[in-house]
Amino acid sequence: MGEEVKKKRPAPDPNSAKYKLGQIAAKAYSDCMEAKARGEMVGWCASNFPVEIPETLGLSVCYPENQAAAIAARGGGERMCSESEGDGYSNDLCAYARVSLAYMKLKDAPEQNMPMPDFVLCCNNICNCMIKWYENIARELDIPMIMIDIPFNPDYEVSDAETEYIRAQFWGAIHQLEKITGKKWSDERYKEVMEISGRSSRAWLAATSCAKYLPSPFNGFDLLNHMAVMVTARGKKEAAEAMETLLKEYEDNHEKGDSTYHGEEKYRIMFEGIACWPWLRVTSTGLKSRGINMVTTIYADAFGFIYDDFDGMCRAYARVPNAMNLELSRDKRIKLCKDNHVEGLLVHTNRSCKLWSGFMAEMSRQIGRACDIPVVSFDGDQADPRNFSEAQYDTRVQGLMEIMEANKGGRSDGNR
Amino acid sequence: MAIDELLAQFHEIAASPRKQLGKYLAQGRKVVACAPVYTPEEIIHSMGLVPMGVWGAEMEVHEAKKYYPAFICSIMQTVLELGITGKFEGISAIVIPSLCDSLKSLGQNWKYAVPGIPFIPMTYPQNRKPDYGVKFTKASYEKVISDLEIATGAKFSEILLAESNRIYNEHNAAMREFAETAADHAITAVQRSDVFKSAWFMLKEEHTALVRQLTAELKKAPADEGKVRVVTSGILADSPGLLEIFDKNGIKIVADDVAQESRQYRTDVPEKPNPLDALAQKFADMDNCSVLYDRDKKRVGFIVDLAQKHNAAGVIVLMTKFCDPEEFDYVPIKRACDAAGLRNVNIEVDCQMVNYEQAGTMLQAFKEMG
Ligand code: SF4
Ligand code: SF4
């Protein structure tokens, strides 16, 4: 595959969404560093922990998954994973956990540093791996662990019993944090945070749904970067504003026939799974060189935390991607594929993530049938570069493209 | 019955679950499969159904590969394989808890891979100790009861549950007494495993009766001396090929922290006016297991104590490949064993294990460490 032609980058426009989002993501770390330096307590927080809680309490938290992704994207994945393996952690464990456990020990990673935690906020709505990983951190560093258990929901709807169980834990976590940190919960502040988080979510959903336009006004790889802000800062006003800017840019692009996907968009696919951070360039170029735009991912749906009250919030956190049963997960993806005129599904079978990959084969077969699109998978890993083969990726993407090409021939009415 | 005859019976049952299934079906009983690690067997039992454990098998995987990627533990792979290839025919339903990430996906795959056997989810809370956790466990039990009623036509009654709770507590006590007796009397690792494994394929009242006989006979037998005493830890320790190496090397299992073995029998159903409340409280009381949330990792100290209390030279971790809950716990366990001066070794096991050479070398080295 040819090298990407390096273009001279113009100076970033400080009013652009990209610039603003980048600033917010960077500030998430520097804010935490400063808080720690001021002597405040700082937490490590799971990506789908209800951020409304630390945000309302005014606590500084940083996100190990986000840090691990940043370390991996900047080339440190293998080094950190090997460090944990040297301590006896199996290389079959989630690479985010291995990177994070190594960081806990080394307390330094030039790719992305963050302050050491005074408490951990764990929520297992994305996986139970999270529990084990945070248990080890809490015990090793001898710090409190706040554990919100949101079980995998085998049903399509969230039951009253589950909502009640989650609600009780949310209050439990709030009171535990008040005790640990001395901060106080305020209902008014919570209302504000809820509104801001809803604003960010609505703008994010609207921005990502701009992929409905032909061609799409954005390159889907953008979403993989921007979503960091949805994870870490959706309850902050700046985030809501930046997301609204993003939406506006995408709408403007559409008006002007412009896109952050440069080149002709010949095919549109959905990408399933977490990005292969160590191989981001390779995975993106493999698509772009073939005129394939990855227009949507489940992240486009995952951060729609829109609700009106506390119970609504409880239910929203029980409906995040890895907490949903196959049917609900499938239907959400089918909707994304149909709304965004997707012509093929590329599945990342992620060695790190047992839950995400555990029923993906059956689910993607069902999506393929429902949308009448080809489905192709490749083996990879979100943070451990050793579990990815460029040659296999290339062959699989080529295969996907050929089927999409053949399908276009058969659908000369332009029906896509 | 003489010890040998009893042991032969345990072996026969442990080695032929399908024969047991056939036997119960022929008696007109309905059978419900129970996936690892914990399911409310007491409820199933109380409804007149026969709970049977399914922990996979030593076999090759073909059909399950269409569902699971290679990096899911072989217990999940082979349970699914057995289901797809019709080995559970005659079973009325399968109860699958969502205690680890791989178990969460087993149920989802099952619905499509084995459509003929209804999937009944059991959703346990991880925050199981506070009142709200106990309440959620009870709500999940109620859901399982109604799913079982639909799948089997059986009816639930609190009176019968109270009786089943009692039968299970008795079985727990019998198993604990057996394990303690087996620590000091002559019984091989393979035979010990047969006793634990057969429990999964029998009604507990029947198993209790047999185990009590064996324990009584064992107590009369001479003490087993001169062996290297060990504690085993892991999810499964039932591979005869592997256990024979223990026996060949004079390594004796004096206690275990194995999920399929003693972890099942540590906690009793407490006394409470309502038997379903009591059963929910049992789950709240459970501890020292990799799939149950534990900020303090009490399991680590528990294993060290278990070894010290039984005068063991060390701990043999039998690591089910791709079992992430156990893999996370391994590091603190290893450190604690090292600190306590306990020998320890980590042997990876897999249902597709055909070659025990490496395990043999490791066990020999373990023995010679002393
Ligand atoms: S990648 Fe999967 S296993 Fe790892 S933290 Fe995320 S959801 Fe959990
Ligand atoms: S991963 Fe471990 S706990 Fe989960 S089913 Fe497999 S062996 Fe059991």
Side-chain angles (χ1 to χ4, degrees), chain A residues 354, chain B residues 36-37 55 73-76 99-103 235 290-291 320-326:
Chain A
K354 294 186 166 62
Chain B
V37 176
W55 291 70
C73 77
S74 56
I75 300 179
M76 296 295 91
L99 286 164
C100 78
D101 293 331
S102 308
L103 276 159
I235 297 292
S290 56
V291 298
T320 297
K321 179 124 179 88
F322 300 120
C323 176
D324 54 320
E326 291 281 314

Side-chain angles (χ1 to χ4, degrees), chain A residues 65 94-97 126-130 133 274 322 350 352-356 382, chain B residues 101:
Chain A
E65 291 153 83
C94 167
Y96 279 177
I126 51 166
C127 63
N128 276 20
C129 158
M130 206 79 198
W133 160 14
I274 303 174
N322 278 358
N350 180 354
S352 268
C353 195
K354 294 186 166 62
L355 186 47
W356 206 317
Q382 60 198 14
Chain B
D101 293 331

Side-chain angles (χ1 to χ4, degrees), chain A residues 314-330:
Chain A
C314 296
R315 279 191 295 274
Y317 280 95
R319 284 169 77 94
V320 304
N322 278 358
M324 295 184 286
N325 72 0
L326 187 147
E327 294 75 21
L328 180 56
S329 309
R330 174 198 64 198

Side-chain angles (χ1 to χ4, degrees), chain A residues 240-269:
Chain A
E241 278 161 12
M243 287 300 163
E244 282 159 1
T245 311
L246 185 71
L247 169 61
K248 183 159 184 313
E249 284 178 7
Y250 287 172
E251 289 288 2
D252 287 351
N253 279 355
H254 169 60
E255 295 290 309
K256 291 186 289 194
D258 211 350
S259 176
T260 59
Y261 183 85
H262 304 295
E264 189 197 347
E265 179 185 280
K266 291 195 209 143
Y267 313 95
R268 302 158 65 87
I269 63 163

Side-chain angles (χ1 to χ4, degrees), chain A residues 353-373:
Chain A
C353 195
K354 294 186 166 62
L355 186 47
W356 206 317
S357 304
F359 59 86
M360 189 51 68
E362 175 59 22
M363 183 168 82
S364 48
R365 274 194 291 273
Q366 294 187 19
I367 297 168
R369 275 200 301 271
C371 302
D372 194 18
I373 54 171

Side-chain angles (χ1 to χ4, degrees), chain A residues 84 87-94 97 101 105 124 126-133 135-136 138-140 142-155 159 161-162 164-165 168-169 172 322 324-327 330 349-355 357-362 365-366, chain B residues 65-69 71-73 98-102 104-106 108-109 111-113 119 121-128 132-136 139-140 143 289-301 321-336 346 348:
Chain A
S84 283
D87 288 336
Y89 287 107
S90 165
N91 66 3
D92 298 328
L93 291 171
C94 167
L101 289 162
K105 182 177 117 183
N124 64 328
I126 51 166
C127 63
N128 276 20
C129 158
M130 206 79 198
I131 305 178
K132 306 302 298 178
W133 160 14
E135 271 177 10
N136 285 21
R139 185 172 184 270
E140 185 80 21
D142 195 18
I143 55 176
M145 172 160 173
I146 288 84
M147 168 73 204
I148 291 183
D149 169 41
I150 301 187
F152 181 85
N153 184 8
D155 302 317
S159 69
E162 180 165 356
E164 195 185 322
Y165 172 53
Q169 293 182 82
N322 278 358
M324 295 184 286
N325 72 0
L326 187 147
E327 294 75 21
R330 174 198 64 198
T349 304
N350 180 354
R351 182 79 152 57
S352 268
C353 195
K354 294 186 166 62
L355 186 47
S357 304
F359 59 86
M360 189 51 68
E362 175 59 22
R365 274 194 291 273
Q366 294 187 19
Chain B
K65 285 188 182 155
K66 293 183 193 143
Y67 294 87
Y68 270 139
F71 48 85
I72 302 292
C73 77
S98 50
L99 286 164
C100 78
D101 293 331
S102 308
K104 293 175 189 175
S105 55
L106 177 63
Q108 302 309 306
N109 285 327
K111 289 184 275 192
Y112 298 96
F119 154 54
M122 172 61 216
T123 307
Y124 284 110
Q126 286 292 345
N127 274 321
R128 61 199 181 280
Y132 53 75
V134 180
K135 199 169 165 203
F136 186 70
S140 298
K143 183 85 196 343
C289 176
S290 56
V291 298
L292 303 177
Y293 167 54
D294 176 14
R295 148 68 179 85
D296 303 321
K297 292 258 187 221
K298 289 189 285 294
R299 176 179 175 220
V300 174
K321 179 124 179 88
F322 300 120
C323 176
D324 54 320
E326 291 281 314
E327 287 168 345
F328 273 107
D329 277 2
Y330 170 68
V331 174
I333 290 172
K334 178 180 171 36
R335 287 183 188 154
N346 180 4
E348 206 162 71

